Amino acid sequence: MYIVMLGAPGTGKGTIGKILSNDLNLVHVSTGDIFREQIAKGTKLGKKIQSYIDTGALVPDDVTIETVKSRLLEDDVKDGAILDGFPRTAAQAEALKGFLKENKPNAKRVAVELDVPDDEIIKRVVNRLICTNKSCGAIYNKETKPPKEEGICDICGSELKKRKDDNVETVTKRLEIYHQNSKELIDFYKKNNALYSIYPKELDVAVANIKNFLDEYRRK
Ligand code: AMP
């Protein structure tokens, strides 16, 4: 099953995506993580996309689509994946549809939309701290979910950092871009796939509801 996580930045796509990935044994594929890794490694792709990420703009569709297609051809995602942060435009959604139709014609496809009010998103994002250990990647919030020891991950003991683009100015731009594309994207998934929308107010409740929906969908 391929699960597309839709939602503005800071709605919990990463947090919920990682929990679902563990519980459902599906690889979590985040375009943001892939791009940040390329930047950190200083690759040709990383250099090309850095300015988009730093300013909160979208990386161009052609670059993003190619990146995702080559990731989805890898062996660990041959039976499914959780896509976090992709698609973000109607063109990306069309490209994904075409790719899956051609390469995984029997795979189930479903979309989950996390819908959170903008003012809450801004608070979540500017207070977000992320574990620098890539294989952990735990997400904290300075106000609502602080680590036990300041700056240190409870789970693996690695350093916690703020993402460079998690500031009010950039998140406002990211939200604006999200709202420009979201209606078209949501309509696309309503038409083409099963779509489940939820306001993830409490994490445990949201995860349980999403898992129920996915279970029912899988049995159909
Ligand atoms: P995220 O970690 O999902 O918040 O993504 C961080 C940044 O990566 C975004 O602000 C964009 O600059 C870029 N990005 C991630 N996914 C995409 C996508 N599907 N299309 C275009 N740009 C993306």
Side-chain angles (χ1 to χ4, degrees):
M1 170 150 56
Y2 289 84
I3 304 170
V4 166
M5 303 289 301
L6 298 172
T11 49
K13 298 190 300 296
T15 304
I16 294 177
K18 279 185 192 130
I19 297 172
L20 293 176
S21 157
N22 253 330
D23 294 359
L24 307 177
N25 207 12
L26 285 171
V27 175
H28 174 241
V29 174
S30 149
T31 37
D33 286 349
I34 297 175
F35 289 151
R36 280 185 289 278
E37 197 181 327
Q38 295 294 319
I39 293 172
K41 285 185 179 157
T43 62
K44 205 170 145 197
L45 173 63
K47 290 193 177 106
K48 195 167 167 178
I49 61 179
Q50 175 143 31
S51 62
Y52 297 100
I53 305 229
D54 285 352
T55 56
L58 288 185
V59 172
D61 278 341
D62 56 341
V63 178
T64 305
I65 290 167
E66 273 323 299
T67 303
V68 173
K69 278 188 183 172
S70 61
R71 179 67 186 91
L72 289 184
L73 288 172
E74 287 175 33
D75 205 47
D76 61 337
V77 289
K78 69 177 188 325
D79 297 324
I82 295 178
L83 296 175
D84 163 4
F86 181 92
R88 266 176 154 100
T89 64
Q92 293 179 11
E94 283 291 353
L96 177 65
K97 182 180 167 192
F99 175 86
L100 291 177
K101 213 167 150 193
E102 193 183 327
N103 294 279
K104 326 268 175 189
N106 301 318
K108 291 209 165 197
R109 283 167 273 159
V110 65
V112 173
E113 181 204 7
L114 304 180
D115 194 7
V116 177
D118 282 4
D119 52 346
E120 192 180 323
I121 287 181
I122 294 176
K123 268 192 240 152
R124 285 188 187 197
V125 172
V126 296
N127 288 309
R128 179 157 69 177
L129 290 171
I130 299 175
C131 176
T132 50
N133 170 7
K134 214 182 135 258
S135 61
C136 173
I139 301 170
Y140 296 84
N141 183 290
K142 280 192 225 165
E143 280 186 0
T144 55
K145 192 191 167 207
K148 291 194 186 91
E149 193 181 334
E150 200 184 320
I152 303 292
C153 178
D154 294 350
I155 300 165
C156 72
S158 303
E159 190 190 355
L160 300 178
K161 273 203 171 146
K162 221 174 126 82
R163 259 171 56 174
K164 202 174 163 191
D165 58 348
D166 278 351
N167 54 67
V168 177
E169 192 183 291
T170 311
V171 78
T172 306
K173 168 99 188 269
R174 283 151 67 202
L175 275 174
E176 204 183 293
I177 294 175
Y178 178 76
H179 291 304
Q180 276 164 16
N181 292 296
S182 64
K183 192 181 173 305
E184 213 178 349
L185 260 188
I186 303 295
D187 285 350
F188 178 93
Y189 281 102
K190 268 189 196 151
K191 229 188 310 159
N192 286 278
N193 295 76
L195 172 75
Y196 181 69
S197 295
I198 185 168
Y199 172 18
K201 215 171 165 88
E202 284 168 51
L203 186 62
D204 295 353
V205 178
V207 169
N209 285 336
I210 294 169
K211 278 163 75 175
N212 275 343
F213 163 76
L214 293 172
D215 248 10
E216 270 173 35
Y217 181 71
R218 213 199 287 253
R219 275 194 247 111
K220 265 187 201 163

